Each structure stands twice: as structure tokens, then as C-alpha cells.
Amino acid sequence: MTQEEFVHIANEMRVKAVSVARQFGYALDDAEDIAQDAMLKLWCLHETILDVVHIKALVSITTKHVCIDRWRTIHIHEDMGNTMPIVDEDTMYDHLEYAELEQWLGKQIDSLPTTSRIVLTMRQLEHRELSEIADILGIKQTSVSTLLARARNELMNKLKRRNR
């Protein structure tokens, strides 16, 4: 499937992905994030997708897998939270470590591409809706979702590399 064909049917497939995520019981915002992740995975495979029938099946399967992965991640973190000792946040070391992490994260956010940084800031710090960000920047809401997911993924990957 060519890039143009994929872009042409992407909105229809995104709606289907949101629908599948909602069937798994996710709220609309979470379903949008899941759909965005699924669409990113499909974009990576767009050259190997044979036709429209093939992509419709892949959207459902990919979205289900993303839902399951997200559910597992949430439950693993919940389980870890129950077994790990709580750190005393009043120690000098913890304050220093938190300040260092906050400074590092600020630098990483500043190193993001300008549009991604702006979208991330508007969504996470200013708590704006995706539609509001799209209106302000004059881009499509799906583009805002894509930029937000890319920024979050990039920060997460940098954090993982830092913690290795």
C-alpha cells in the first residue's frame, strides 16, 4: 500500500480503532491514545499491507494488541506499587534526585522538535483539549494526537535509556 492510499483511508481506520478500544472499556481519551498507537504501528507496516481488506483486519488486531499491552502495563505497575517499599520523600537524597530528574526532563522537553514541544506543553501542562490545540495551531486533531504520541514516546525512550 502506498503512502497516499494509507493517508486516504487513515481517518476511517482511526475511527475503527477508537471503536475497538472503546469496546475494551477504555474512556474516550484513552481510546484515542490507543488508536493513535495502533495507527503508528500500522504506519510502520504500510508498505507491506496488501489492500483495504487487509488493513481493516490489521486495524482490529493491532488495536486489540495495544489494548492488551496497555492493560498489562497498568496492572504490572499496580502490582509493583503494592510490593515496593515507599520511599521517604523527606530525605535530602530524594529531594536532590527529584530536582535532578526534573532538570533533566526539562532539558529533554526543550530538545524536542518545536511543534512536538508546543503540543506536549499545551496538553500536559496547560491541560488543553486536543481539539483546542488543533484550533490554536491550525492543524488537524489527528496531527495533534500524532505529535503528542511521538513526543511522549521519545521522552519515554530517553528516560529508559537514562535509567539503564
Side-chain angles (χ1 to χ4, degrees), residues 83-127:
T83 59
M84 295 179 69
I86 297 174
V87 177
D88 181 14
E89 294 180 11
D90 294 332
T91 67
M92 180 69 98
Y93 176 77
D94 292 334
H95 285 294
L96 182 61
E97 187 174 357
Y98 181 78
E100 180 185 331
L101 178 62
E102 192 173 30
Q103 182 181 17
W104 178 86
L105 187 58
K107 287 180 182 178
Q108 299 310 310
I109 290 172
D110 289 341
S111 72
L112 290 172
T114 305
T115 309
S116 295
R117 183 179 67 244
I118 291 170
V119 168
L120 183 70
T121 303
M122 292 174 91
R123 179 70 172 160
Q124 297 302 130
L125 300 178
E126 298 173 10
H127 306 289

Side-chain angles (χ1 to χ4, degrees), residues 1-153:
M1 174 173 285
T2 66
Q3 179 178 350
E4 293 79 22
E5 291 172 326
F6 185 88
V7 170
H8 180 70
I9 62 169
N11 283 338
E12 178 185 338
M13 296 302 107
R14 182 176 176 73
V15 170
K16 179 155 180 65
V18 169
S19 173
V20 170
R22 296 281 291 168
Q23 290 172 356
F24 269 77
Y26 286 98
L28 184 58
D29 285 345
D30 290 333
E32 289 284 342
D33 290 343
I34 289 168
Q36 180 176 335
D37 290 345
M39 294 305 291
L40 285 172
K41 289 178 186 285
L42 289 172
W43 173 252
C44 293
L45 299 172
H46 81 276
E47 293 176 348
T48 60
I49 297 172
L50 302 175
D51 58 8
V52 175
V53 175
H54 191 193
I55 195 169
K56 286 183 180 180
L58 277 175
V59 167
S60 295
I61 292 168
T62 304
T63 305
K64 287 177 186 178
H65 287 199
V66 172
C67 287
I68 292 168
D69 288 346
R70 184 172 287 218
W71 183 85
R72 285 180 181 158
T73 302
I74 290 169
H75 284 72
I76 287 171
H77 289 299
E78 285 176 358
D79 292 344
M80 287 176 60
N82 294 335
T83 59
M84 295 179 69
I86 297 174
V87 177
D88 181 14
E89 294 180 11
D90 294 332
T91 67
M92 180 69 98
Y93 176 77
D94 292 334
H95 285 294
L96 182 61
E97 187 174 357
Y98 181 78
E100 180 185 331
L101 178 62
E102 192 173 30
Q103 182 181 17
W104 178 86
L105 187 58
K107 287 180 182 178
Q108 299 310 310
I109 290 172
D110 289 341
S111 72
L112 290 172
T114 305
T115 309
S116 295
R117 183 179 67 244
I118 291 170
V119 168
L120 183 70
T121 303
M122 292 174 91
R123 179 70 172 160
Q124 297 302 130
L125 300 178
E126 298 173 10
H127 306 289
R128 294 180 185 261
E129 295 293 323
L130 296 176
S131 59
E132 185 180 3
I133 296 169
D135 290 340
I136 291 170
L137 297 178
I139 59 177
K140 293 181 181 179
Q141 187 172 338
T142 55
S143 298
V144 171
S145 297
T146 302
L147 288 167
L148 184 61
R150 286 181 185 163
R152 287 175 177 166
N153 285 336

